[in-house]
Amino acid sequence: MNSRHALLALLAGGLALAALPWLLSDFLLALALSCVMYAGLAVSWSMFCGPTNYLSLATAAFFGLGTYVTAWGAGALPYGLSVLAGGLVAAGFAALIGAAVLHLRGAYFAVITFGMGELVRHGITYYEKAFEGTVGRIIAEAPESTTVYWMVLLVSMGAVAAAVLVRDHRLGLALRGIGSDEERAQTLGVNARRSKIAAFALSAFFAGALGAAMAVRWTYIDPLTVFNPFIGFQTVLIAMVGGAQTILGPIASAVVFGLLTEFLRLQFPYLFLVILGFLLILLVLYLPGGIASLFERWRWRRGNV
Amino acid sequence: MSEPLLAARGVSVRFGGLVAVDGVDLDVRAGELVGIIGPNGAGKTTFFHTLSGVLAPTAGRVLVGGDDLTGKPPHAYAAHGVARTFQTPRVFKEMPAIDNVRFGLEFAGRTRQHAHDAFDEAETILEFLGLADVAAVPAGGLTPSRQRLLEIGMALGARPRVLLLDEVAAGLTHAEVDASAQLIRRVRDELGLAVVWIEHAVRVLMNYVERVAVLHQGRKIADGDPRAVAKDPAVVEAYLGEEGEPERRAA
């Protein structure tokens, strides 16, 4: 499937999803919103981490920065501009931090990106205590829930479109080369540092924009809620279970996760985390290539019959 | 004489107290095919790392086409037309063979054109190397000797002016070694490249290069016509002292 076909499929899918507010109850729309948000986060994470084999735990930091941009700009900035600004702030932050730490690999990179999130959270808490006298802020005027849904859908679609374009162009090839053998890629002319920073910042843009778009869902924003490391872990988990080398895998995985979590939570309120954990172990053991490898298997079988 | 395409000036590399490369000078001109031999641990590969930017020399300078690239990252060397292979093939295992060759074409080779555009297509390069039938096979699935050939293809994809070959004949059969040597000469003749070829199998190299340099304990102890170099007392001494005379090593 080339870029054009993928983008057309995305557009069709996006238009269909845009109609959901007229079809679903408030409860189901909230569920759809969560699925679409995690799909966007997981795809943006995989855009950089999939081909390069980096493990970034910075998603929570980018997401949280985005929400804070909306919180700071509330009243002054229109919703759409807040989302854009949230993305840009996160991308700028990622470029800055990326320039400093992207030479690290493996566990070091994972730990330091996790630390970044904590640093930002404590930084903002300190700033608020020292200069504002209060921690957290209230968002008084929130757009309607359908508007939020459309905005999150738009940003997530943007993330998927960006992932398709990166995959099919030179940046994607460079990232795959870096993931396979960084030094070899460099000896063939790849400016590894620049490629990594660019892709890391692009991936952060969408995480930040999603944070900024979701901020208005909470009326009260404080660092502990929005820099929740759980958001970062959940994103990584979804992307890996889906298959971070692909684009469709993380999307499918986000939907499966969203629905499964909700179903288990309603049916087995006391056991749901236990069951979810058990399912995860099974998935990792028996489907190491992620959900995407199911498509591959199916395609392979169809091709051979 | 024309300006050297690749010039090493007093290149030294020290790892802590160990001097791996010690003040080596080497000039290579366009169209030259230069061999570098030396016993194990002579510093051949370390020297190559400095010529391709993989390792910055502790002292000395590396110039490509007259530009001082000392301390620049590998992609700057690639952009200046230096392409190399690695002793242990470092192909992109998950990518199809053809994408491995296309990789160089997309990056280092993007801006540069050969004198005649014989190698502008990944398909042509694979055909030239006899790898056309495995174009779609992931590179990690190829036999070691084919991965070695693919390494050369990846370097050619970068449209080099200087081709650095690190023991491309290692582990190949006699027939395969002969075929790769023919191939390397053909590449040099057709594209007018400067080729620097490191080899452990001395006899192979002596038969195919017009000039050979000998490294011993990090120093260059000889540089010139292969027949003269083979008789050089210092060279004979280096090989006898370390691991037997050159002919026996090659066998």
Side-chain angles (χ1 to χ4, degrees), chain B residues 30-66:
Chain B
E32 259 195 309
L33 174 46
V34 182
I36 297 181
I37 59 169
N40 262 336
K44 303 184 296 287
T45 295
T46 309
F47 181 54
F48 249 30
H49 285 344
T50 65
L51 296 183
S52 53
V54 169
L55 199 66
T58 325
R61 295 188 301 145
V62 179
L63 294 93
V64 181

PDB file of all heavy atoms in Angstrom, chain B residues 30-66:
ATOM      1  N   ALA B  30      42.969   9.458  -7.564  1.00  0.00           N
ATOM      2  CA  ALA B  30      41.854   8.889  -8.322  1.00  0.00           C
ATOM      3  C   ALA B  30      42.383   7.800  -9.250  1.00  0.00           C
ATOM      4  O   ALA B  30      43.430   7.972  -9.881  1.00  0.00           O
ATOM      5  CB  ALA B  30      41.159   9.983  -9.128  1.00  0.00           C
ATOM      6  N   GLY B  31      41.699   6.679  -9.335  1.00  0.00           N
ATOM      7  CA  GLY B  31      42.087   5.594 -10.218  1.00  0.00           C
ATOM      8  C   GLY B  31      43.124   4.660  -9.641  1.00  0.00           C
ATOM      9  O   GLY B  31      43.463   3.663 -10.254  1.00  0.00           O
ATOM     10  N   GLU B  32      43.619   4.976  -8.448  1.00  0.00           N
ATOM     11  CA  GLU B  32      44.615   4.104  -7.827  1.00  0.00           C
ATOM     12  C   GLU B  32      43.951   2.965  -7.075  1.00  0.00           C
ATOM     13  O   GLU B  32      42.871   3.140  -6.486  1.00  0.00           O
ATOM     14  CB  GLU B  32      45.469   4.905  -6.830  1.00  0.00           C
ATOM     15  CG  GLU B  32      46.828   5.306  -7.375  1.00  0.00           C
ATOM     16  CD  GLU B  32      47.768   5.752  -6.263  1.00  0.00           C
ATOM     17  OE1 GLU B  32      47.368   6.625  -5.453  1.00  0.00           O
ATOM     18  OE2 GLU B  32      48.883   5.232  -6.199  1.00  0.00           O
ATOM     19  N   LEU B  33      44.594   1.814  -7.090  1.00  0.00           N
ATOM     20  CA  LEU B  33      44.135   0.676  -6.291  1.00  0.00           C
ATOM     21  C   LEU B  33      45.272   0.315  -5.346  1.00  0.00           C
ATOM     22  O   LEU B  33      46.294  -0.235  -5.760  1.00  0.00           O
ATOM     23  CB  LEU B  33      43.781  -0.492  -7.221  1.00  0.00           C
ATOM     24  CG  LEU B  33      43.410  -1.843  -6.637  1.00  0.00           C
ATOM     25  CD1 LEU B  33      42.430  -1.735  -5.485  1.00  0.00           C
ATOM     26  CD2 LEU B  33      42.808  -2.720  -7.725  1.00  0.00           C
ATOM     27  N   VAL B  34      45.096   0.691  -4.079  1.00  0.00           N
ATOM     28  CA  VAL B  34      46.166   0.538  -3.106  1.00  0.00           C
ATOM     29  C   VAL B  34      45.789  -0.535  -2.088  1.00  0.00           C
ATOM     30  O   VAL B  34      44.669  -0.534  -1.572  1.00  0.00           O
ATOM     31  CB  VAL B  34      46.418   1.866  -2.351  1.00  0.00           C
ATOM     32  CG1 VAL B  34      47.567   1.712  -1.364  1.00  0.00           C
ATOM     33  CG2 VAL B  34      46.703   2.981  -3.332  1.00  0.00           C
ATOM     34  N   GLY B  35      46.694  -1.445  -1.831  1.00  0.00           N
ATOM     35  CA  GLY B  35      46.450  -2.468  -0.813  1.00  0.00           C
ATOM     36  C   GLY B  35      47.128  -2.081   0.486  1.00  0.00           C
ATOM     37  O   GLY B  35      48.151  -1.398   0.485  1.00  0.00           O
ATOM     38  N   ILE B  36      46.520  -2.495   1.605  1.00  0.00           N
ATOM     39  CA  ILE B  36      47.189  -2.348   2.898  1.00  0.00           C
ATOM     40  C   ILE B  36      47.247  -3.726   3.537  1.00  0.00           C
ATOM     41  O   ILE B  36      46.224  -4.392   3.675  1.00  0.00           O
ATOM     42  CB  ILE B  36      46.434  -1.375   3.826  1.00  0.00           C
ATOM     43  CG1 ILE B  36      46.401   0.029   3.217  1.00  0.00           C
ATOM     44  CG2 ILE B  36      47.090  -1.341   5.208  1.00  0.00           C
ATOM     45  CD1 ILE B  36      45.692   1.060   4.077  1.00  0.00           C
ATOM     46  N   ILE B  37      48.447  -4.177   3.849  1.00  0.00           N
ATOM     47  CA  ILE B  37      48.590  -5.457   4.535  1.00  0.00           C
ATOM     48  C   ILE B  37      49.272  -5.231   5.867  1.00  0.00           C
ATOM     49  O   ILE B  37      49.771  -4.131   6.153  1.00  0.00           O
ATOM     50  CB  ILE B  37      49.404  -6.486   3.699  1.00  0.00           C
ATOM     51  CG1 ILE B  37      50.796  -5.944   3.407  1.00  0.00           C
ATOM     52  CG2 ILE B  37      48.669  -6.830   2.427  1.00  0.00           C
ATOM     53  CD1 ILE B  37      51.736  -6.990   2.817  1.00  0.00           C
ATOM     54  N   GLY B  38      49.280  -6.255   6.656  1.00  0.00           N
ATOM     55  CA  GLY B  38      49.921  -6.164   7.963  1.00  0.00           C
ATOM     56  C   GLY B  38      49.460  -7.305   8.818  1.00  0.00           C
ATOM     57  O   GLY B  38      48.352  -7.807   8.633  1.00  0.00           O
ATOM     58  N   PRO B  39      50.320  -7.737   9.748  1.00  0.00           N
ATOM     59  CA  PRO B  39      49.943  -8.838  10.633  1.00  0.00           C
ATOM     60  C   PRO B  39      48.745  -8.449  11.495  1.00  0.00           C
ATOM     61  O   PRO B  39      48.391  -7.269  11.574  1.00  0.00           O
ATOM     62  CB  PRO B  39      51.184  -9.053  11.504  1.00  0.00           C
ATOM     63  CG  PRO B  39      52.275  -8.237  10.911  1.00  0.00           C
ATOM     64  CD  PRO B  39      51.656  -7.205  10.055  1.00  0.00           C
ATOM     65  N   ASN B  40      48.146  -9.430  12.151  1.00  0.00           N
ATOM     66  CA  ASN B  40      47.050  -9.152  13.081  1.00  0.00           C
ATOM     67  C   ASN B  40      47.430  -8.083  14.079  1.00  0.00           C
ATOM     68  O   ASN B  40      48.542  -8.084  14.593  1.00  0.00           O
ATOM     69  CB  ASN B  40      46.711 -10.432  13.866  1.00  0.00           C
ATOM     70  CG  ASN B  40      45.527 -11.147  13.248  1.00  0.00           C
ATOM     71  OD1 ASN B  40      44.726 -10.504  12.564  1.00  0.00           O
ATOM     72  ND2 ASN B  40      45.433 -12.434  13.471  1.00  0.00           N
ATOM     73  N   GLY B  41      46.512  -7.177  14.344  1.00  0.00           N
ATOM     74  CA  GLY B  41      46.783  -6.161  15.343  1.00  0.00           C
ATOM     75  C   GLY B  41      47.714  -5.065  14.867  1.00  0.00           C
ATOM     76  O   GLY B  41      48.227  -4.286  15.661  1.00  0.00           O
ATOM     77  N   ALA B  42      47.942  -4.985  13.542  1.00  0.00           N
ATOM     78  CA  ALA B  42      48.844  -3.961  13.016  1.00  0.00           C
ATOM     79  C   ALA B  42      48.193  -2.588  12.983  1.00  0.00           C
ATOM     80  O   ALA B  42      48.855  -1.583  12.786  1.00  0.00           O
ATOM     81  CB  ALA B  42      49.306  -4.360  11.620  1.00  0.00           C
ATOM     82  N   GLY B  43      46.882  -2.555  13.174  1.00  0.00           N
ATOM     83  CA  GLY B  43      46.187  -1.267  13.164  1.00  0.00           C
ATOM     84  C   GLY B  43      45.480  -0.963  11.860  1.00  0.00           C
ATOM     85  O   GLY B  43      45.042   0.167  11.646  1.00  0.00           O
ATOM     86  N   LYS B  44      45.334  -1.970  10.994  1.00  0.00           N
ATOM     87  CA  LYS B  44      44.726  -1.732   9.676  1.00  0.00           C
ATOM     88  C   LYS B  44      43.293  -1.227   9.795  1.00  0.00           C
ATOM     89  O   LYS B  44      42.930  -0.192   9.216  1.00  0.00           O
ATOM     90  CB  LYS B  44      44.726  -3.034   8.839  1.00  0.00           C
ATOM     91  CG  LYS B  44      46.085  -3.657   8.636  1.00  0.00           C
ATOM     92  CD  LYS B  44      46.010  -4.871   7.738  1.00  0.00           C
ATOM     93  CE  LYS B  44      45.210  -6.028   8.282  1.00  0.00           C
ATOM     94  NZ  LYS B  44      45.831  -6.791   9.366  1.00  0.00           N
ATOM     95  N   THR B  45      42.489  -1.973  10.546  1.00  0.00           N
ATOM     96  CA  THR B  45      41.072  -1.593  10.648  1.00  0.00           C
ATOM     97  C   THR B  45      40.904  -0.280  11.401  1.00  0.00           C
ATOM     98  O   THR B  45      40.083   0.562  11.025  1.00  0.00           O
ATOM     99  CB  THR B  45      40.260  -2.731  11.298  1.00  0.00           C
ATOM    100  OG1 THR B  45      40.291  -3.862  10.421  1.00  0.00           O
ATOM    101  CG2 THR B  45      38.822  -2.334  11.526  1.00  0.00           C
ATOM    102  N   THR B  46      41.701  -0.086  12.446  1.00  0.00           N
ATOM    103  CA  THR B  46      41.640   1.182  13.180  1.00  0.00           C
ATOM    104  C   THR B  46      41.971   2.352  12.258  1.00  0.00           C
ATOM    105  O   THR B  46      41.322   3.402  12.296  1.00  0.00           O
ATOM    106  CB  THR B  46      42.624   1.158  14.362  1.00  0.00           C
ATOM    107  OG1 THR B  46      42.405  -0.027  15.115  1.00  0.00           O
ATOM    108  CG2 THR B  46      42.448   2.364  15.245  1.00  0.00           C
ATOM    109  N   PHE B  47      42.973   2.140  11.397  1.00  0.00           N
ATOM    110  CA  PHE B  47      43.352   3.176  10.431  1.00  0.00           C
ATOM    111  C   PHE B  47      42.176   3.467   9.496  1.00  0.00           C
ATOM    112  O   PHE B  47      41.860   4.626   9.210  1.00  0.00           O
ATOM    113  CB  PHE B  47      44.582   2.704   9.651  1.00  0.00           C
ATOM    114  CG  PHE B  47      45.080   3.694   8.641  1.00  0.00           C
ATOM    115  CD1 PHE B  47      45.378   5.002   9.001  1.00  0.00           C
ATOM    116  CD2 PHE B  47      45.258   3.314   7.309  1.00  0.00           C
ATOM    117  CE1 PHE B  47      45.845   5.917   8.056  1.00  0.00           C
ATOM    118  CE2 PHE B  47      45.721   4.221   6.370  1.00  0.00           C
ATOM    119  CZ  PHE B  47      46.011   5.521   6.749  1.00  0.00           C
ATOM    120  N   PHE B  48      41.512   2.415   9.046  1.00  0.00           N
ATOM    121  CA  PHE B  48      40.330   2.567   8.185  1.00  0.00           C
ATOM    122  C   PHE B  48      39.226   3.357   8.870  1.00  0.00           C
ATOM    123  O   PHE B  48      38.544   4.162   8.247  1.00  0.00           O
ATOM    124  CB  PHE B  48      39.785   1.178   7.813  1.00  0.00           C
ATOM    125  CG  PHE B  48      39.976   0.853   6.366  1.00  0.00           C
ATOM    126  CD1 PHE B  48      41.041   1.372   5.659  1.00  0.00           C
ATOM    127  CD2 PHE B  48      39.072   0.027   5.695  1.00  0.00           C
ATOM    128  CE1 PHE B  48      41.211   1.070   4.326  1.00  0.00           C
ATOM    129  CE2 PHE B  48      39.241  -0.277   4.358  1.00  0.00           C
ATOM    130  CZ  PHE B  48      40.310   0.237   3.673  1.00  0.00           C
ATOM    131  N   HIS B  49      39.053   3.085  10.173  1.00  0.00           N
ATOM    132  CA  HIS B  49      38.026   3.814  10.916  1.00  0.00           C
ATOM    133  C   HIS B  49      38.290   5.321  10.865  1.00  0.00           C
ATOM    134  O   HIS B  49      37.356   6.102  10.766  1.00  0.00           O
ATOM    135  CB  HIS B  49      37.989   3.349  12.381  1.00  0.00           C
ATOM    136  CG  HIS B  49      37.335   2.001  12.567  1.00  0.00           C
ATOM    137  ND1 HIS B  49      36.551   1.419  11.603  1.00  0.00           N
ATOM    138  CD2 HIS B  49      37.338   1.144  13.604  1.00  0.00           C
ATOM    139  CE1 HIS B  49      36.100   0.254  12.038  1.00  0.00           C
ATOM    140  NE2 HIS B  49      36.580   0.059  13.260  1.00  0.00           N
ATOM    141  N   THR B  50      39.567   5.705  10.916  1.00  0.00           N
ATOM    142  CA  THR B  50      39.861   7.147  10.866  1.00  0.00           C
ATOM    143  C   THR B  50      39.618   7.701   9.460  1.00  0.00           C
ATOM    144  O   THR B  50      39.220   8.849   9.305  1.00  0.00           O
ATOM    145  CB  THR B  50      41.312   7.461  11.275  1.00  0.00           C
ATOM    146  OG1 THR B  50      42.192   6.883  10.302  1.00  0.00           O
ATOM    147  CG2 THR B  50      41.640   6.922  12.642  1.00  0.00           C
ATOM    148  N   LEU B  51      39.837   6.863   8.430  1.00  0.00           N
ATOM    149  CA  LEU B  51      39.648   7.347   7.058  1.00  0.00           C
ATOM    150  C   LEU B  51      38.177   7.524   6.705  1.00  0.00           C
ATOM    151  O   LEU B  51      37.841   8.169   5.714  1.00  0.00           O
ATOM    152  CB  LEU B  51      40.296   6.376   6.055  1.00  0.00           C
ATOM    153  CG  LEU B  51      41.805   6.218   6.130  1.00  0.00           C
ATOM    154  CD1 LEU B  51      42.297   5.282   5.032  1.00  0.00           C
ATOM    155  CD2 LEU B  51      42.503   7.568   6.020  1.00  0.00           C
ATOM    156  N   SER B  52      37.288   6.871   7.501  1.00  0.00           N
ATOM    157  CA  SER B  52      35.864   6.974   7.188  1.00  0.00           C
ATOM    158  C   SER B  52      35.091   7.750   8.245  1.00  0.00           C
ATOM    159  O   SER B  52      33.869   7.838   8.194  1.00  0.00           O
ATOM    160  CB  SER B  52      35.263   5.572   7.030  1.00  0.00           C
ATOM    161  OG  SER B  52      35.553   4.796   8.168  1.00  0.00           O
ATOM    162  N   GLY B  53      35.817   8.326   9.210  1.00  0.00           N
ATOM    163  CA  GLY B  53      35.159   9.160  10.217  1.00  0.00           C
ATOM    164  C   GLY B  53      34.517   8.369  11.343  1.00  0.00           C
ATOM    165  O   GLY B  53      33.919   8.951  12.239  1.00  0.00           O
ATOM    166  N   VAL B  54      34.614   7.046  11.306  1.00  0.00           N
ATOM    167  CA  VAL B  54      34.025   6.230  12.367  1.00  0.00           C
ATOM    168  C   VAL B  54      34.757   6.493  13.681  1.00  0.00           C
ATOM    169  O   VAL B  54      34.184   6.446  14.767  1.00  0.00           O
ATOM    170  CB  VAL B  54      34.080   4.736  11.980  1.00  0.00           C
ATOM    171  CG1 VAL B  54      33.727   3.844  13.150  1.00  0.00           C
ATOM    172  CG2 VAL B  54      33.132   4.475  10.810  1.00  0.00           C
ATOM    173  N   LEU B  55      36.050   6.803  13.560  1.00  0.00           N
ATOM    174  CA  LEU B  55      36.880   7.077  14.724  1.00  0.00           C
ATOM    175  C   LEU B  55      37.681   8.349  14.419  1.00  0.00           C
ATOM    176  O   LEU B  55      38.265   8.453  13.348  1.00  0.00           O
ATOM    177  CB  LEU B  55      37.832   5.891  14.925  1.00  0.00           C
ATOM    178  CG  LEU B  55      38.490   5.681  16.266  1.00  0.00           C
ATOM    179  CD1 LEU B  55      37.429   5.329  17.302  1.00  0.00           C
ATOM    180  CD2 LEU B  55      39.502   4.549  16.156  1.00  0.00           C
ATOM    181  N   ALA B  56      37.687   9.305  15.360  1.00  0.00           N
ATOM    182  CA  ALA B  56      38.501  10.502  15.146  1.00  0.00           C
ATOM    183  C   ALA B  56      39.936  10.200  15.556  1.00  0.00           C
ATOM    184  O   ALA B  56      40.156   9.599  16.602  1.00  0.00           O
ATOM    185  CB  ALA B  56      37.946  11.657  15.964  1.00  0.00           C
ATOM    186  N   PRO B  57      40.914  10.560  14.732  1.00  0.00           N
ATOM    187  CA  PRO B  57      42.297  10.288  15.119  1.00  0.00           C
ATOM    188  C   PRO B  57      42.690  11.113  16.348  1.00  0.00           C
ATOM    189  O   PRO B  57      42.199  12.222  16.534  1.00  0.00           O
ATOM    190  CB  PRO B  57      43.108  10.710  13.895  1.00  0.00           C
ATOM    191  CG  PRO B  57      42.219  11.605  13.104  1.00  0.00           C
ATOM    192  CD  PRO B  57      40.808  11.221  13.429  1.00  0.00           C
ATOM    193  N   THR B  58      43.566  10.545  17.176  1.00  0.00           N
ATOM    194  CA  THR B  58      44.053  11.270  18.350  1.00  0.00           C
ATOM    195  C   THR B  58      44.960  12.409  17.901  1.00  0.00           C
ATOM    196  O   THR B  58      45.004  13.474  18.505  1.00  0.00           O
ATOM    197  CB  THR B  58      44.854  10.329  19.276  1.00  0.00           C
ATOM    198  OG1 THR B  58      44.271   9.033  19.228  1.00  0.00           O
ATOM    199  CG2 THR B  58      44.852  10.826  20.690  1.00  0.00           C
ATOM    200  N   ALA B  59      45.715  12.155  16.811  1.00  0.00           N
ATOM    201  CA  ALA B  59      46.557  13.207  16.237  1.00  0.00           C
ATOM    202  C   ALA B  59      46.580  13.012  14.734  1.00  0.00           C
ATOM    203  O   ALA B  59      46.284  11.925  14.235  1.00  0.00           O
ATOM    204  CB  ALA B  59      47.969  13.120  16.807  1.00  0.00           C
ATOM    205  N   GLY B  60      46.941  14.062  14.014  1.00  0.00           N
ATOM    206  CA  GLY B  60      47.018  13.969  12.563  1.00  0.00           C
ATOM    207  C   GLY B  60      45.727  14.431  11.905  1.00  0.00           C
ATOM    208  O   GLY B  60      44.762  14.793  12.587  1.00  0.00           O
ATOM    209  N   ARG B  61      45.740  14.462  10.568  1.00  0.00           N
ATOM    210  CA  ARG B  61      44.589  14.979   9.841  1.00  0.00           C
ATOM    211  C   ARG B  61      44.203  14.046   8.708  1.00  0.00           C
ATOM    212  O   ARG B  61      45.030  13.314   8.179  1.00  0.00           O
ATOM    213  CB  ARG B  61      44.921  16.366   9.277  1.00  0.00           C
ATOM    214  CG  ARG B  61      45.152  17.411  10.368  1.00  0.00           C
ATOM    215  CD  ARG B  61      45.272  18.785   9.783  1.00  0.00           C
ATOM    216  NE  ARG B  61      46.374  18.863   8.826  1.00  0.00           N
ATOM    217  CZ  ARG B  61      46.344  19.605   7.732  1.00  0.00           C
ATOM    218  NH1 ARG B  61      45.279  20.325   7.447  1.00  0.00           N
ATOM    219  NH2 ARG B  61      47.383  19.625   6.922  1.00  0.00           N
ATOM    220  N   VAL B  62      42.921  14.082   8.344  1.00  0.00           N
ATOM    221  CA  VAL B  62      42.436  13.315   7.203  1.00  0.00           C
ATOM    222  C   VAL B  62      41.795  14.299   6.225  1.00  0.00           C
ATOM    223  O   VAL B  62      40.924  15.080   6.606  1.00  0.00           O
ATOM    224  CB  VAL B  62      41.402  12.254   7.624  1.00  0.00           C
ATOM    225  CG1 VAL B  62      40.897  11.492   6.408  1.00  0.00           C
ATOM    226  CG2 VAL B  62      42.002  11.295   8.644  1.00  0.00           C
ATOM    227  N   LEU B  63      42.284  14.285   4.970  1.00  0.00           N
ATOM    228  CA  LEU B  63      41.740  15.189   3.964  1.00  0.00           C
ATOM    229  C   LEU B  63      41.110  14.384   2.831  1.00  0.00           C
ATOM    230  O   LEU B  63      41.684  13.405   2.369  1.00  0.00           O
ATOM    231  CB  LEU B  63      42.829  16.092   3.385  1.00  0.00           C
ATOM    232  CG  LEU B  63      43.461  17.101   4.346  1.00  0.00           C
ATOM    233  CD1 LEU B  63      44.707  16.531   4.979  1.00  0.00           C
ATOM    234  CD2 LEU B  63      43.745  18.398   3.632  1.00  0.00           C
ATOM    235  N   VAL B  64      39.920  14.804   2.417  1.00  0.00           N
ATOM    236  CA  VAL B  64      39.260  14.157   1.290  1.00  0.00           C
ATOM    237  C   VAL B  64      39.018  15.207   0.222  1.00  0.00           C
ATOM    238  O   VAL B  64      38.371  16.227   0.493  1.00  0.00           O
ATOM    239  CB  VAL B  64      37.929  13.507   1.707  1.00  0.00           C
ATOM    240  CG1 VAL B  64      37.274  12.830   0.512  1.00  0.00           C
ATOM    241  CG2 VAL B  64      38.145  12.502   2.823  1.00  0.00           C
ATOM    242  N   GLY B  65      39.574  14.981  -0.961  1.00  0.00           N
ATOM    243  CA  GLY B  65      39.439  15.947  -2.044  1.00  0.00           C
ATOM    244  C   GLY B  65      39.946  17.326  -1.637  1.00  0.00           C
ATOM    245  O   GLY B  65      39.409  18.347  -2.051  1.00  0.00           O
ATOM    246  N   GLY B  66      40.959  17.363  -0.758  1.00  0.00           N
ATOM    247  CA  GLY B  66      41.545  18.630  -0.337  1.00  0.00           C
ATOM    248  C   GLY B  66      40.870  19.256   0.881  1.00  0.00           C
ATOM    249  O   GLY B  66      41.398  20.206   1.447  1.00  0.00           O
TER     250      GLY B  66
END
